[in-house]
Amino acid sequence: MADRPSEERRSGSGEEPSIPDDVWDKFLKEAEAGLGSAPKEPSARARMVTERLRQQDARGESPESWRAGPARRERRRVWPVLGVLLAVAVAVVAVKPSVIPGDPFGTKDEGPSTAASPLPAETAAPTAPPSPADSETPSFARPFAGSPAERWADGAAGIVLPKATPVGTLSKAQVEQALRQTRTLLVDANLNSATLRGERPATALGVIEPRQTALLTRLNTSLGKPDEKHDPLSMFSRFDPAEIRLVGDVIKTRGRITFKAGEQSSVAVHADYTFVYPVARTGGSKEVTRTIVRRVLDIEMSDPARYKVTPGKITIRRYDRDVGNSACDVHDGYLHPEFTSDTATGAPPTGPTTDPYDRSKGIDGDPTRGCGTVSRV
């Protein structure tokens, strides 16, 4: 073989190798184990050949190719030793990676992970509020730090539709359409960047049954001339861009959509979602906070073959909201987050303290409960 010198005599030379390979290999193994003794003294002829080769080297003549054999034997002796050293080094690094300068494997603890493992989709009403998160303060790098929402889904990805099935006289396709229209309303009303900066939510308004004239009139009035009785925040999430800006491009979302057979040959869709908005003041402020908005919608889509309804449109039967961390006494149609650096003004809160992340309880729609406080943001 090419990587092992031949033990046969060279044709016409009459010379023999000074130390046979098997003797040399045995010597190496015994030497590594601390056993045995050196090979026997080479023969007189071998010493003569060695002396002649030494003289050739002194004269600068090229050595004969067969002399590559001992060098290769020498490499065979070195590699086992290097292999042992390498195995020891690997074992040490595995036990204590910090011995390598620079921590190339990222083993040093540099605080909480920036990519918390996401929660599975919500398929039923929770039985308790989320556990307390870490006590970190939100920042531009981690706007959801210290919040249960850090593990929630991002934006529209958190609005997962259930698998549609036929309901009453409505086909699977009609039920699926009702679900998709509900999702369209939620996304445009709470996640669309144009809606969030105060523009008209045309897509959301467009999926509502046109025959709901009272509702559409109320919503349009609230968008054009908001006041205490006509509040667009009852359906839409909006921030005044002159005052507030979103931090990053992610809004956290968690909730669920269910459906069942409704009255009058319809499908009844129930949606319950919480949206978490990381925000900062415009003008270069470094403080980050969050506003939390929970919305509950009850929607129906009736069979157009039996009732005078617009095919493909949804009828809104109920819409409730609960907002955490927004001024209660401002009625200009925008959410007004409060920051820890703000100076307290006005009367103290009179309502109860609530956890805006608690989805285990229903929304209290009692308007007389007063403006309360939140236990966390």
Side-chain angles (χ1 to χ4, degrees), residues 5 8 10 29 35 79 92 160 189 209 222 254 286 291:
E8 296 180 358
R10 291 179 49 194
K29 293 178 180 178
L35 303 173
W79 278 113
V92 171
V160 181
E209 167 61 62
S222 68
R254 186 155 184 82
K286 300 300 182 182
T291 291

Side-chain angles (χ1 to χ4, degrees), residues 326-329 338 343-353 369-374:
S326 181
C328 300
D329 53 354
E338 297 182 345
T343 302
T345 59
T350 58
T353 298
R369 66 174 180 166
C371 184
T373 59
V374 292

Side-chain angles (χ1 to χ4, degrees), residues 224-305:
K225 295 181 179 181
D227 57 33
E228 187 173 358
K229 293 183 178 180
H230 301 88
D231 187 359
L233 299 178
S234 62
M235 181 74 75
F236 312 110
S237 296
R238 309 163 84 234
F239 296 91
D240 185 353
E243 175 190 344
I244 296 296
R245 63 189 179 101
L246 289 172
V247 175
D249 55 3
V250 173
I251 297 165
K252 290 294 187 176
T253 306
R254 186 155 184 82
R256 64 193 182 280
I257 291 180
T258 58
F259 69 93
K260 62 181 182 179
E263 299 178 358
Q264 301 178 349
S265 300
S266 67
V267 56
V269 180
H270 179 77
D272 183 343
Y273 279 88
T274 301
F275 304 91
V276 182
Y277 304 94
V279 294
R281 291 197 185 280
T282 57
S285 173
K286 300 300 182 182
E287 184 179 355
V288 177
T289 190
R290 292 176 288 256
T291 291
I292 304 96
V293 179
R294 183 180 176 187
R295 298 196 183 277
V296 175
L297 301 174
D298 283 318
I299 291 169
E300 284 188 353
M301 178 181 282
S302 299
D303 187 350

